[in-house]
Amino acid sequence: MKTPIPDYLNEVLDSLRADTSGNTAQYIPELAQANPDLFALSVTTATGSTYSAGDHLTEFSIQSISKPFAYAAAIMDRGLERVLQSVGVEASGEAFNELSLEDGTHRPKNPMINAGAITTHGLLVSQTASAESRVSRVLELFSHLAGRELRIDEKVYASEIQTADHNLATAHMLRSYGIIDADAHEVVSGYTRQCSILVTVEDLSLMSATLANGGIQPRTRERVLTEDVARQVMSVMAVAGMYDGAGDWLTRVGIPAKSGVAGGLVGVLPDQVGIGAFSPRLDAHGNSQRSGRVFERLSTDMGLHLFAPSSGQLDVVDVRQEATHEVFTLQGNVQFMAAAELLDLMAASTSRTAVLLDISRVYSFTSVARRMALEGLRRLRLDSRRVILNDPLQVLANPDLGDGSYPESPADEHHEV
Ligand code: GLU
């Protein structure tokens, strides 16, 4: 049997090929000349399976899609607090190249607009870092995220830097407000190199699947980002990834995303997928016209909206009284909600028998759900009940009840009989 997913992705591309509206980015000569008919799509699951369609081996410059990933690097290098001092996390509601500075502090409103991204680039590595080391830092991080060695397209760089007056003006303004310390030309040059890194849609889908997977690259299994950094980046993409169209995008499509003027579009759904699409013609906001429509279709057809209530029951909580035990059962991927339900059932219990918590069909606990379940057992034991844990897969790993003691295991119980 062959998986039908690539056929479906091809069908999505075919259904949108006729849309030739919009134009390639005109303000960067090298991008203006791109073949406007290229069209590609790639989806990588958080477990590392990639499905692609169309021109998925074609490389193009990452452009603004570099911004969320460079933001991740800056947070890891300098700490979130330091980064927040210089760049905010609010929607700007304005175009990508507006200054959009916050009243009073003069911080750029977010790291997704050019002013915020130029500032972010200047924060990379350390306060005294060289211009080259900032560029190497992003190139190396992006390569780890994509799982292969990426390179810079010097032709795109040379073409964009010649017409970079707007970004240079932005950098000079930022420096005049004390938001960037480094030389304005050096920072814009480094930022433009960052934008000229070449990627394919598969690279993009793997980079965002790493975010979806909480920072672990799903193919190489390398932890590239911490969970906190991945969460911060996805949140900012949801707030500001689509510039002045961010609210419309989040409500209608519901996939936190970031576009680039070369025609790329990256999207992420936590715990599920990373998506990369590419089509060089842009709409009035500077976002890829057909890539946007691809995302709309994926969102509708596959229920990939961030706020779509999941129809399948992810976890099951149950309680039943048997002759010698009261059995609490959990199943699935246990998060806060199921753990809260378990604690409610435990609190409502009037039985005096031993307690058996059966988690033999649980795949995973979030760390908070784990703590909640163990605390429930601890409290039941304080009520003088024997507590037994059936965890053959050891999903709770070290089930310390918080006071250095452990629940009994069903095997201990068997020996006693
Ligand atoms: N390098 C481009 C610029 O700074 C990126 C813009 C974009 O991709 O939206 O103008």
Side-chain angles (χ1 to χ4, degrees), residues 359-371:
I359 55 169
S360 55
R361 294 174 72 185
V362 169
Y363 311 114
S364 67
F365 275 91
T366 60
S367 59
V368 64
R370 174 181 189 280
R371 282 206 307 277

Side-chain angles (χ1 to χ4, degrees), residues 19 56 97 116 122 133 153 195 234-235 295 298 304 311 332 347 386:
D19 181 354
H56 61 96
N97 56 5
S133 68
D153 186 335
C195 289
M234 290 188 280
S235 308
F295 272 59
L298 296 183
L304 289 181
S311 46
R386 281 180 58 205

